[in-house]
Amino acid sequence: MKFNFLIILCCTVTGIFINAQTVKEPLYFNEYLAYVKDKNLGLAAQRYNVSMAEASILTAGIFPDPQIEMETSNNGVSKDMGHTIEGAISWTLELGGKRKARIETAKNEAEYSKLQLQDYLRNLLADATLGYIEALKSKALLNVQKESYQSMLKLAKSDSIRYKLGDISKVTSQQSKLEASSLLNEVYHLEGTQQQSVTALSDFIGNDSTEKDVNGDLNSFNRNYNLNDLITQAVNERSDILASKQNINTAASRIKLEKANRIIDLGLSAGAGHNTVANNEIAPSPAVNTVKLGISVPLKFSNRRNADLKIAEMGYSQAETEYRQIENSIRMEVTQAYQQYSSAQKQLQQFDNGMLKEAENILKGITYSYQRGESSILEVLNAQRTYNELRQNYFQLLAENAAALIDLERKAGIWDIDF
């Protein structure tokens, strides 16, 4: 007896240990979104664009470097005319506000990079949330199938006992058992789907999410919006249209820079030299020091060909056209997303009117009648399938409603998703 007790105890402890190993770490939406913002590799790569653009501002403000020249010569190797040593420093004096134009252009490009980063984050948060919703939906559908399987398995066990007692036929008992086996296959299939949806979150959080258990309420995606307010919000606040507007400013600063580059720069130089004593008998000379000042003016024949300026002007026109195109697209996108969300809300109202509860009551009633011998197994199976389909459709619709809201907020340039 003591030996048997030890075996039972060891098996129990082993079972507890195995179950503890299979318990997955819970993952909540706020925690998940924090991972996305901090760990997402694509977002980290995009941040480098901002850092590089800000570094370009410092580069744009650099003055031209001066040049130092050193020269020595022998005035006559065989004539003994002495040696000459000369040194000079020269630099370019930029005119026309080139440095200011460069800095302004670099600042506009840096601001454009920041807005592009914001737009990348806007889409990343929406995509990451859609992935989380997909994982939640898969989990909900799996639970529905598990509950259905457990219910059918319980019925199959009951039918097995009833068959042995002679209350039902062997075919009826086999049919309920076969239905339970079929539902178990569906459970296995949905387990794989659910695991894949959770694993897909790894791409958003930058590390493995396979052993995570997503948590959240799909009923938390109900908002009341006014379409005109959403369009106004999107046109004024969406990061991609702000980036497009900033691109116009950047294009304008490039035109200023090209105009400034057409202004000539002056080359200034200053130097000194020393001539040693010349002992030549015909033309002896003492040692002398010399000072030189110089200025050089380039001949800008290239100004006749103003291709760079024309390209900059065309870039400005292109930026303006793109801005108008984005503005028109935003109006259409917000309207379509609003229509999709409104449609999902109306469909949900059908379930809120008691469809699920009614189907559940029908299933319970038919099952009770079957156990009393007043209905057939086919009626039970049909009621069970109808109830399962309704529950699955309900969770599918909850996920579609959540996705429609996420897409609407993405298109409107707002974000208040929290569940």
Side-chain angles (χ1 to χ4, degrees), residues 7-23:
I7 293 176
I8 294 172
L9 180 62
C10 290
C11 292
T12 304
V13 172
T14 303
I16 295 173
F17 178 73
I18 292 173
N19 289 332
Q21 280 186 321
T22 59
V23 172

Side-chain angles (χ1 to χ4, degrees), residues 374-400:
E374 298 174 357
S375 60
S376 67
I377 185 63
L378 292 179
E379 292 177 290
V380 175
L381 296 181
N382 286 333
Q384 180 73 55
R385 289 166 186 166
T386 300
Y387 180 56
N388 289 347
E389 288 177 2
L390 280 176
R391 291 187 70 195
Q392 289 172 350
N393 290 339
Y394 178 62
F395 285 112
Q396 288 274 8
L397 188 54
L398 281 176
E400 290 175 7

